[in-house]
Amino acid sequence: MISEDGEGPLAPHGNATDALLYDYFKYLTSLCVLSLGGVLALSEKVPAAGRGKELLIGAVIVIGCSALLSFSGTGELVRERAPDAPRRSLNFYRVTAPFLLCFGVGMFVYLFIRTLFA
């Protein structure tokens, strides 16, 4: 996290938007990793019958993609600090990563609720 005194990974050369994006991607990556851990920890509750396992694998893949995109967004910000590095697809990462995280967690919540009532 960027501290109040301007110290932090992007503070010396970055602007306030870069600092906010860095924190945003950092926390989104942490949330993805925690979500993946929760999904995998509760995966034994999903019944093998029906499409449960396929949906569980889909949820893990979608949340994993969200983690990859948010981590890549952080990498883009760091790469941007290097000389002659253009800002390539930061906006794509900023929009797509939380969408995939919500979609993957939603898939898992659907599976989990379905197993509670089965």
Side-chain angles (χ1 to χ4, degrees), residues 34-64:
L34 289 173
S35 297
L36 275 174
V39 168
L40 294 175
L42 296 174
S43 64
E44 64 188 31
K45 303 284 184 192
V46 176
R51 294 184 36 174
K53 292 294 181 186
E54 290 125 6
L55 288 174
L56 179 70
I57 291 170
V60 168
I61 289 172
V62 170
I63 295 171

Side-chain angles (χ1 to χ4, degrees), residues 103-117:
F103 187 71
V105 170
M107 287 171 61
F108 179 71
V109 167
Y110 165 75
L111 284 171
F112 187 72
I113 290 174
R114 194 176 82 180
T115 59
L116 290 178
F117 294 111

Side-chain angles (χ1 to χ4, degrees), residues 74-114:
T74 305
E76 279 294 312
L77 283 169
V78 172
R79 188 178 303 124
E80 186 179 83
R81 295 289 128 226
D84 301 327
R87 177 178 240 148
R88 294 191 309 207
S89 49
L90 203 53
N91 204 30
F92 171 75
Y93 296 143
R94 184 185 58 81
V95 172
T96 308
F99 172 76
L100 288 176
L101 177 63
C102 291
F103 187 71
V105 170
M107 287 171 61
F108 179 71
V109 167
Y110 165 75
L111 284 171
F112 187 72
I113 290 174
R114 194 176 82 180

Side-chain angles (χ1 to χ4, degrees), residues 8-77:
L10 298 177
H13 303 289
N15 58 30
T17 304
D18 284 348
L20 285 174
L21 277 174
Y22 180 83
D23 280 345
Y24 174 76
F25 283 132
K26 180 175 65 173
Y27 289 123
L28 187 60
T29 302
S30 299
L31 185 60
C32 290
V33 170
L34 289 173
S35 297
L36 275 174
V39 168
L40 294 175
L42 296 174
S43 64
E44 64 188 31
K45 303 284 184 192
V46 176
R51 294 184 36 174
K53 292 294 181 186
E54 290 125 6
L55 288 174
L56 179 70
I57 291 170
V60 168
I61 289 172
V62 170
I63 295 171
C65 288
S66 176
L68 180 66
L69 290 176
S70 59
F71 188 72
S72 297
T74 305
E76 279 294 312
L77 283 169

